[in-house]
Amino acid sequence: MELYVIRHTTPDVAKGICYGQSDIPVLHTFTEEAGRVLLKLPATVDVIYTSPLLRCMQLAKTLAESKQVNLLTDSRLKELNFGNWELKAWNDIEQDSLMHWMNNYVEVCVPNGESYAQLAARVEDFLKFIRDQKHKTAAIVTHGGVIKSLHALINNISLKEAMRFQVMYGEVIGFKV
């Protein structure tokens, strides 16, 4: 299967804010950004899967309407749950707690949130699911952390190594699965 993984367009949130699973809107540049995404996709896709968060749903709906395909939401495609840190400025987070997490974000959970390994486990569950489907071509609209996890799982690299993989807003990455 050809899998086109798309990061949502630019969110409308101040720089330096931790926003993981917070449901925030996208910038006024959405239409322009969505148009660029459409140009990067193949002429046809069988289905589009999306994170249920607004910043993904808006793009996924636009793509599904344009491609005239079904749109399916899946909570496993949500970004990392940053728990108590959601919508806080990174600089305002208690530094000892932040450093403890940053030193081992793969295994350490954010307070009342999740670790990167937990995010990767739900992404792996989704990847097993989609591999069982009979799609020739599928698109996924999701978040940076999910895309990095997919990159690690599909290419058999460590989660820590995958974190170095840069994914821009509105970027489309193709995988064979």
Side-chain angles (χ1 to χ4, degrees):
M1 171 191 334
E2 290 182 37
L3 189 60
Y4 292 86
V5 183
I6 306 149
R7 187 172 183 194
H8 59 79
T9 60
T10 310
D12 189 5
V13 65
K15 289 199 185 295
I17 300 297
C18 175
Y19 58 89
Q21 289 190 6
S22 296
D23 218 2
I24 55 175
V26 293
L27 282 179
H28 65 281
T29 56
F30 171 77
T31 303
E32 178 184 319
E33 291 180 70
R36 287 194 299 263
V37 170
L38 271 167
L39 293 174
K40 297 174 189 175
L41 291 177
T44 60
V45 295
D46 298 331
V47 65
I48 297 175
Y49 293 92
T50 186
S51 158
L53 298 178
L54 179 63
R55 60 190 184 270
C56 291
M57 283 293 297
Q58 187 173 350
L59 179 58
K61 284 179 181 178
T62 298
L63 299 177
E65 288 171 7
S66 175
K67 299 291 183 184
Q68 297 181 343
V69 296
N70 287 335
L71 173 61
L72 303 169
T73 60
D74 196 305
S75 291
R76 294 173 290 189
L77 297 173
K78 283 185 177 180
E79 183 59 281
L80 186 79
N81 179 350
F82 280 102
N84 294 352
W85 299 350
E86 291 281 338
L87 297 179
K88 285 189 176 182
W90 287 102
N91 291 336
D92 292 342
I93 296 169
E94 197 275 316
Q95 291 302 295
D96 287 341
S97 181
L98 179 61
M99 290 311 296
H100 176 66
W101 176 75
M102 289 184 84
N103 287 333
N104 191 9
Y105 56 86
V106 172
E107 299 299 329
V108 173
C109 291
V110 172
N112 293 310
E114 66 184 337
S115 69
Y116 190 39
Q118 288 171 317
L119 176 145
R122 62 181 158 82
V123 171
E124 183 174 27
D125 189 54
F126 175 81
L127 186 58
K128 287 176 185 173
F129 161 78
I130 200 168
R131 281 180 167 152
D132 289 340
Q133 306 308 301
K134 302 299 179 207
H135 311 305
K136 282 185 164 182
T137 306
I140 298 172
V141 180
T142 190
H143 310 271
V146 172
I147 294 170
K148 291 174 184 190
S149 294
L150 282 167
H151 177 59
L153 293 163
I154 292 168
N155 294 305
N156 199 31
I157 62 173
S158 73
L159 292 174
K160 198 162 193 156
E161 186 178 346
M163 282 303 288
R164 291 189 280 256
F165 184 62
Q166 294 298 310
V167 186
M168 306 303 291
Y169 297 122
E171 189 168 346
V172 178
I173 300 162
F175 294 106
K176 292 270 191 193
V177 297

